[in-house]
Amino acid sequence: MDLPCGTRNFDYASDMAVLRTRTHWGLFFLLLVFIFTAPLYWSNYWLSIANLIGITVIAITGLNILIGYCGQLSIGHAGFMAAGAYTTAVLTGKLGIPFLASLLCAGLTAGIIGIVFGLPSVRVKGFYLAITTIAAQFIIIWVINHWTSVTGGFVGMKVAPASIASFSFNTEPRQFYLIMAIAALVVFFAKNLARSRVGRAFIAVRDNDLAAEVMGINLTYYKLLAFFIGCFLAGIAGALFAHWSRFLNAENFTLADSILYIGMVIIGGLGTTIGPILGAVLIRLLQQGIMYITPVLEGTFPTLPAGFTTGIGPMVFGLVIILFLILEPRGIAHRWTLFKAAYRLWPFSY
Amino acid sequence: MAELLQYTITGIAVGMVYALIALGFALIWKSSSIANLALGQLVLISSWFTYGMLVQAKFPYWLGFPLTILFALFLGWLIERLTLRPLIAQPILSLITVTLGIAYFLEGVVTFVWPMSVAALPRLFPQEPVHLGPAVVSQEYIWAAVVSLLLFGLLSLFFKYHKMGIAMRATADDQLAIQACGVPVTSVFSTSWMFACVVAAIGGVLISCIGGITYGLVETGLKSFSVVILGGLDSFIGCIIAGPIIGLCENLGGGYLTPLIGPGIKDIIPFIIIIVVMVFKPYGLFGEKRIERI
């Protein structure tokens, strides 16, 4: 266990607690204070990046439950996000349903669609499932693009900002609080799900689904439950994205995004709670860095080819995914664990 | 009636090209059980490379096409050597996702080198359409089908008689046993990747003769997954039978359902077929059903 020397367990509750020592509590408190006072000294630009990161963390946490814990590869996560986003856009915009109810509906819709496309997972796995979820991605986006009367088709649709009672989340700082609160809840939920009966069943299914079935785990139930939870969170993330960007278009949810989400989970670390957070932060910051640095580079080196601006992003992300898989398949989360161990044992690391 | 015949002929021709690209997938899957999800991007990048050779560098055909083939061989070798060799014996999840990373990277390379999103290859085949009974079909379709069939025949002969082909089939059967017999399994892997890239390149050129070079080529590559799924992953004969079926469904469905459902239904039919096959017959028409032990 990664606990400091002298920390003893006297009962089950203290053994299972997430935060054990005074330092843990202190750091946790500092983190909360840091996050929730951020709007006081961050500019709107950085807040918008933080909002996007928060939304991504929610989506990636769902994907991590699906891939990292249950071992079911889904390459259609952006499609499930789109389902949630358009559900809340239609419910709040056209039917006037309050935000919280439509957020829940968005999650449920995405979750149910996830179950439908997850059905083949009962019989097949690995590559077959990957292909099915790619098909899901294309079918969902096609429906959105061609069901013009409801979704606005290729033109897209406007979405009103989120509002609870008469309080409207119409500025970046307000949305920041909303998104961060939900993201914190989701991370807390994921952390506890992984330690529960359900999470242990997921891990058993991931490691060997036949062995899990022999041990009495209902494969159909748990695989579809993983799809439901993963896609439910994707739907929530999509709904928050809709209210945050206030304009929806199928271009926001492409296959490339789905691949990028998988990349984030891998880079962060599969099957860990902190992994999705690290992966989302790293990739989104990398995106911002590339967006910042390409005009500068083009200014200094005018001989760069015309496709430099659009091409450099995918190249870098593809390379990062490949390099992480080859060099550090357990992701940044593993490095983080190593760092904590080294810190705890310093200076006597033997 | 003329309509029906026309849809049938174009459907079978396009389906043959799908089958060719799918063959490239089945090759890699059979020898190394790696699922190559970068198929669409391989098709895309080799079509653009052909464009670069023939139009931008203005090479004649006899130089441009061999260069494309060489490029595909080199690309296949490079991908296998740099990304898949270090990942041998890793979990299947890493093997699938690394090809996704390759796909992403290749897409970046394409937009980097060829920033224009649409281009057309020069006319490779004669222009005047062919009259087959009441149907009028442009020659590209016929040529595409003929070239695909020819390549298919050549490859089958290669697998049947050539030493490397036999080694590849043996590797697919049992990697450990073949290693014990002294066959270098790693070189079999790289050969299968090189072959797959060449097949994808030829398929890409044939398809872009029909529809031009667009980003849609990635989708063409993804559509050939439906061929693999319907035919069964580890079956060459499955590819050649399922290809025309998919092409027919796509063209007939596109032709007759568009007035009913709306434009674009053509592009989604192969994906719907994937879902249906997955639910009812997950190992395809000719696929081998794997029985697992714990």
Side-chain angles (χ1 to χ4, degrees):
Chain A
M1 270 304 284
D2 46 351
L3 281 176
C5 179
T7 316
R8 295 196 196 90
N9 302 319
F10 292 103
D11 53 18
Y12 185 67
S14 75
D15 189 31
M16 291 306 286
V18 177
L19 298 168
R20 292 297 305 274
T21 59
R22 283 210 186 108
T23 327
H24 276 165
W25 276 105
L27 286 174
F28 179 65
F29 187 68
L30 275 182
L31 180 74
L32 283 188
V33 168
F34 172 69
I35 288 180
F36 284 92
T37 58
L40 298 178
Y41 42 84
W42 281 3
S43 67
N44 266 0
Y45 171 72
W46 283 104
L47 279 179
S48 73
I49 296 174
N51 283 339
L52 187 58
I53 289 177
I55 292 167
T56 320
V57 165
I58 299 172
I60 302 294
T61 304
L63 192 62
N64 186 36
I65 289 172
L66 200 52
I67 299 182
Y69 287 111
C70 200
Q72 310 296 310
L73 186 57
S74 162
I75 315 183
H77 218 59
F80 297 123
M81 272 180 80
Y86 275 90
T87 307
T88 185
V90 170
L91 285 183
T92 54
K94 299 203 169 157
L95 303 177
I97 289 172
F99 164 70
L100 281 179
S102 78
L103 185 69
L104 200 65
C105 288
L108 287 176
T109 315
I112 289 165
I113 293 177
I115 288 184
V116 171
F117 286 108
L119 269 179
S121 73
V122 177
R123 295 181 67 178
V124 297
K125 55 187 174 183
F127 163 71
Y128 288 94
L129 196 59
I131 290 295
T132 319
T133 48
I134 289 184
Q137 161 89 36
F138 276 98
I139 292 173
I140 292 172
I141 296 300
W142 185 83
V143 168
I144 286 172
N145 274 336
H146 288 84
W147 197 4
T148 316
S149 58
V150 174
T151 63
F154 289 103
V155 184
M157 68 190 295
K158 277 188 179 166
V159 189
S163 59
I164 295 174
S166 58
F167 185 82
S168 172
F169 294 91
N170 51 4
T171 60
E172 272 318 325
R174 288 178 178 186
Q175 283 177 332
F176 179 84
Y177 284 118
L178 176 73
I179 290 170
M180 284 303 149
I182 295 179
L185 271 179
V186 164
V187 171
F188 180 71
F189 164 76
K191 172 85 187 163
N192 281 312
L193 181 84
R195 313 193 296 162
S196 69
R197 175 191 172 84
V198 177
R200 285 193 299 273
F202 283 167
I203 292 171
V205 171
R206 173 192 70 190
D207 288 345
N208 189 330
D209 54 351
L210 277 181
E213 195 173 20
V214 172
M215 278 165 57
I217 290 169
N218 186 342
L219 271 194
T220 315
Y221 173 74
Y222 280 109
K223 279 183 175 175
L224 292 184
L225 183 67
F227 264 98
F228 179 76
I229 296 175
C231 296
F232 181 85
L233 293 182
I236 298 275
L240 287 174
F241 180 84
H243 289 294
W244 171 71
S245 72
R246 299 194 205 165
F247 185 78
L248 276 185
N249 189 307
E251 288 292 305
N252 294 327
F253 310 99
T254 58
L255 181 66
D257 289 310
S258 290
I259 297 176
L260 198 59
Y261 290 144
I262 294 176
M264 287 183 200
V265 178
I266 287 166
I267 288 163
L270 284 166
T272 55
T273 314
I274 194 151
I277 303 173
L278 294 174
V281 169
L282 182 85
I283 290 284
R284 289 296 185 205
L285 287 183
L286 200 62
Q287 262 176 340
Q288 290 302 321
I290 288 173
M291 264 171 65
Y292 172 76
I293 207 160
T294 38
V296 179
L297 280 180
E298 281 191 323
T300 25
F301 305 102
T303 50
L304 285 171
F308 181 74
T309 329
T310 42
I312 193 76
M315 273 169 76
V316 170
F317 298 132
L319 212 58
V320 168
I321 294 175
I322 295 172
L323 287 180
F324 259 93
L325 275 169
I326 293 174
L327 301 176
E328 184 53 282
R330 282 187 281 186
I332 312 175
H334 180 58
R335 289 281 145 197
W336 172 241
T337 327
L338 292 183
F339 165 74
K340 278 197 296 191
Y343 169 78
R344 184 164 43 86
L345 296 173
W346 189 84
F348 305 109
S349 57
Y350 36 84
Chain B
M1 191 58 215
E3 229 178 10
L4 178 69
L5 194 63
Q6 187 150 353
Y7 288 142
T8 312
I9 293 170
T10 49
I12 288 178
V14 173
M16 295 303 286
V17 183
Y18 287 164
L20 191 65
I21 300 172
L23 186 73
F25 177 90
L27 257 170
I28 295 175
W29 176 266
K30 278 205 82 154
S31 71
S32 54
S33 43
I34 289 167
N36 175 18
L37 292 181
L39 204 54
Q41 278 76 11
L42 287 177
V43 171
L44 184 69
I45 198 168
S46 38
S47 302
W48 274 113
F49 187 83
T50 320
Y51 174 79
M53 289 293 105
L54 293 183
V55 178
Q56 288 174 326
K58 297 196 175 61
F59 285 139
Y61 291 154
W62 58 265
L63 188 62
F65 285 120
L67 276 177
T68 306
I69 302 284
L70 274 182
F71 167 75
L73 283 171
F74 179 66
L75 187 68
W77 180 80
L78 209 65
I79 290 175
E80 202 278 337
R81 191 71 195 80
L82 293 184
T83 62
L84 291 152
R85 189 77 59 86
L87 286 175
I88 283 179
Q90 291 286 314
I92 182 120
L93 201 70
S94 322
L95 294 177
I96 294 179
T97 40
V98 80
T99 60
L100 285 177
I102 296 168
Y104 219 88
F105 180 75
L106 289 181
E107 224 171 284
V109 173
V110 167
T111 38
F112 188 97
V113 185
W114 294 281
M116 57 283 202
S117 51
V118 184
L121 284 180
R123 294 251 165 209
L124 303 178
F125 307 116
Q127 281 199 21
E128 65 268 23
V130 184
H131 294 265
L132 290 164
V136 185
V137 184
S138 65
Q139 283 206 14
E140 284 101 355
Y141 288 96
I142 311 288
W143 280 102
V146 170
V147 172
S148 308
L149 256 185
L150 212 66
L151 263 173
F152 223 93
L154 275 177
L155 277 174
S156 331
L157 287 178
F158 172 81
F159 282 114
K160 190 118 178 92
Y161 296 112
H162 194 271
K163 207 172 171 185
M164 196 59 190
I166 297 171
M168 280 161 108
R169 278 191 297 149
T171 314
D173 200 43
D174 192 335
Q175 281 185 21
L176 270 183
I178 197 70
Q179 219 160 8
C181 292
V183 174
V185 172
T186 45
S187 76
V188 172
F189 288 171
S190 29
T191 318
S192 64
W193 269 92
M194 284 151 82
F195 266 63
C197 281
V198 170
V199 166
I202 296 173
V205 171
L206 290 176
I207 281 281
S208 29
C209 281
I210 294 173
I213 307 175
T214 58
Y215 187 73
L217 283 175
V218 173
E219 242 171 90
T220 306
L222 290 175
K223 278 176 193 168
S224 39
F225 285 133
S226 62
V227 175
V228 190
I229 294 285
L230 180 63
L233 271 189
D234 34 22
S235 159
F236 291 145
I237 193 82
C239 284
I240 195 78
I241 291 176
I245 297 179
I246 298 286
L248 273 179
C249 289
E250 194 190 29
N251 273 283
L252 289 175
Y256 290 109
L257 289 180
T258 304
L260 295 177
I261 299 179
I265 184 73
K266 190 179 165 189
D267 296 323
I268 212 76
I269 286 175
F271 296 112
I272 295 173
I273 293 177
I274 288 181
I275 302 279
V276 172
V277 173
M278 245 356 143
V279 173
F280 293 107
K281 202 164 175 9
Y283 294 94
L285 296 175
F286 297 94
E288 182 186 347
K289 191 173 180 194
R290 296 273 159 125
I291 297 170
E292 281 184 69
R293 283 186 295 185
I294 296 171

